[in-house]
Amino acid sequence: MSILGFGDYPKKNVDRLSPLWDLYASRSGQALLDISLFVYKEDDSELREHLLDFVFKEQHRLKCLKLYCKFLEGKNYLLNMAPMLETLHIHIVGSNWFKPEPITDAKLASLCEYVAIDTSSFIALKELVIGGDVLVTNQAPRYDSLQDIMYDSNDEVVNTKPSVARKLAIPVSTSGLFSLFQRAPHIRKINFHIQHADILPVSLQRLPLHHLQTLSLRMNTVDTEPIDSLFEHLDILGLESLMLEFYGGSADVGRRWRLKNGAMLKSVTVFALDWDCEILLDSTIDENLQTLLQCMPALKDLYISADWISP
C-alpha cells in the first residue's frame, strides 16, 4: 500500500482516497501491512490526518513502514506496538519550520510536533532510518536482527522539549552511538549524526562489531579526539567503507590530530572526507590529512570535499 502525496490531485480524486484506503484496510483483515506514505503540507489536511491516524492505530500489523511527512496538524504520535516491524523509514518535519514569523524558544516548545518511537518491542527490526522530528524514547535491550541504521534526529526539537530530552533513548552524541552499537551487535551499515561530540570514558570495554562494513559519521566538531575515543572501544577490523563529515566551529582547527587507535582502519578500502568548516590554511591541515590516510594501508578509493586541499 503506497501513497506518494496527493497535493496535486484533483479534489474529486482526493475525496476518493480515504474510502479506498478504508476499503483496503477492512478487506485485509489482520494481514501484515507494507505501507509507504509520503504526505506534505500542501496536501488535504483531513485526508492527511486520516491516513496518519490509521497508520498509528494499526501499527501492530506493520511489517514495513516508510513515512515521510511534513506537517502533523499539531499532533504528536507514538509508535510503540509493532513487534512484526522489519523495516522502518521515518522522516518528520513539523509545522514549526513553516512559520514565517520569528518564534521564541518558549513558543517553539509549545508548538513542536514530532513522532515518538519506543522500539522496545521491535524484536524483528532489520532496517531503521530516522530523520527530522522523530524521538526514540526507549530501546530494546538488544537488536539481534538489526543490520542497517541511519539516525539523524532533530536536536532542535530535543532542546526545546526538556521533558522529551530527559527520555531520549539515543542521544545524538558519541556516547549515544556507542550505546546503539552495544544493542546491535550484528550491524552491517550505519549512518549517524553526532551533534554532541563527547569523549567516551576510558573504562568502557571494547565492543566487537565483526559485521560492520560501512560507517558514516557526520560530526559537529573539527577534532578527531571524539572519534578516536570511539575507535578505542570498537573492534571493527572488517570495516570496508568510512565516511566522515566535519562541520561546526573552528576553535580546534589548529590542533594536530592524534589517532592513537587508527589501527582499527587498516581494512578500509573506501574513504570519503567532507570538511564543511571555516578554517585558516596552514601546514597542520596537510599533516592531519596525512595522519588519517596513513591509518588506511588498504585504501583504494579516496574522495575529499574541502576548500583547503592544497595543489
Side-chain angles (χ1 to χ4, degrees):
M1 180 189 300
S2 300
I3 291 187
L4 306 177
F6 38 87
D8 295 331
Y9 286 17
K11 185 64 170 63
K12 61 179 182 180
N13 291 346
V14 171
D15 292 340
R16 293 179 57 199
L17 281 176
S18 182
L20 286 175
W21 183 286
D22 292 340
L23 178 62
Y24 173 87
S26 64
R27 290 183 175 180
S28 62
Q30 290 301 308
L32 295 181
L33 298 175
D34 185 333
I35 294 179
S36 296
L37 180 59
F38 297 76
V39 291
Y40 303 91
K41 182 177 183 291
E42 298 78 13
D43 293 330
D44 181 83
S45 59
E46 291 185 7
L47 177 57
R48 180 174 56 235
E49 184 174 5
H50 180 78
L51 298 179
L52 288 171
D53 287 348
F54 171 85
V55 168
F56 288 92
K57 178 182 177 182
E58 299 294 322
Q59 60 181 268
H60 61 284
R61 299 168 55 192
L62 290 173
K63 181 178 181 180
C64 174
L65 174 61
K66 296 181 179 180
L67 173 63
Y68 182 89
C69 180
K70 289 186 177 182
F71 212 71
L72 293 176
E73 305 297 338
K75 300 178 69 172
N76 299 327
Y77 289 91
L78 174 63
L79 184 65
N80 66 339
M81 298 292 290
M84 306 304 293
L85 189 62
E86 296 181 359
T87 301
L88 175 60
H89 293 199
I90 181 166
H91 190 102
I92 304 296
V93 180
S95 63
N96 319 293
W97 316 117
F98 296 97
K99 302 290 183 180
E101 72 277 6
I103 300 176
T104 64
D105 290 344
K107 187 176 181 182
L108 179 59
S110 65
L111 287 174
C112 275
E113 302 173 343
Y114 60 88
V115 171
I117 300 178
D118 179 345
T119 64
S120 57
S121 67
F122 296 2
I123 56 176
L125 196 62
K126 296 180 180 179
E127 188 173 332
L128 176 65
V129 176
I130 287 178
D133 302 340
V134 181
L135 306 177
V136 179
T137 60
N138 196 17
Q139 295 188 76
R142 190 175 171 97
Y143 301 102
D144 285 317
S145 301
L146 192 56
Q147 298 181 3
D148 193 341
I149 301 174
M150 189 181 82
Y151 188 80
D152 190 3
S153 184
N154 188 352
D155 191 45
E156 294 297 326
V157 175
V158 177
N159 286 337
T160 55
K161 280 284 189 181
S163 61
V164 174
R166 286 194 293 269
K167 301 177 182 178
L168 198 59
I170 307 179
V172 281
S173 61
T174 315
S175 54
L177 173 59
F178 186 78
S179 174
L180 187 56
F181 278 143
Q182 289 177 311
R183 298 169 186 265
H186 304 298
I187 189 70
R188 295 181 181 274
K189 179 180 179 181
I190 187 165
N191 185 319
F192 195 92
H193 185 182
I194 297 177
Q195 300 181 36
H196 305 289
D198 55 332
I199 311 298
L200 296 182
V202 179
S203 58
L204 291 175
Q205 292 185 345
R206 182 179 290 273
L207 183 64
L209 295 175
H210 298 156
H211 302 280
L212 185 64
Q213 297 175 349
T214 300
L215 174 62
S216 300
L217 299 177
R218 183 169 184 253
M219 296 173 289
N220 184 14
T221 181
V222 293
D223 188 22
T224 57
E225 189 175 358
I227 192 174
D228 195 45
S229 74
L230 180 66
F231 292 156
E232 180 181 0
H233 297 93
L234 297 180
D235 180 355
I236 51 175
L237 294 179
L239 187 67
E240 298 176 359
S241 179
L242 175 65
M243 282 151 274
L244 301 179
E245 179 182 350
F246 295 92
Y247 74 96
S250 57
D252 296 320
V253 163
R255 295 183 59 179
R256 282 181 166 78
W257 289 352
R258 307 296 183 189
L259 285 173
K260 300 177 181 178
N261 303 282
M264 287 295 102
L265 306 179
K266 67 181 183 180
S267 60
V268 171
T269 59
V270 178
F271 175 54
L273 174 65
D274 189 342
W275 188 289
D276 186 17
C277 308
E278 293 184 5
I279 64 174
L280 298 175
L281 294 177
D282 60 27
S283 60
T284 306
I285 301 299
D286 289 341
E287 293 175 13
N288 285 345
L289 181 57
Q290 291 174 13
T291 297
L292 191 57
L293 295 180
Q294 286 171 356
C295 300
M296 309 176 195
L299 191 63
K300 296 180 180 179
D301 298 307
L302 173 63
Y303 306 91
I304 298 179
S305 175
D307 293 334
W308 46 260
I309 299 297
S310 58

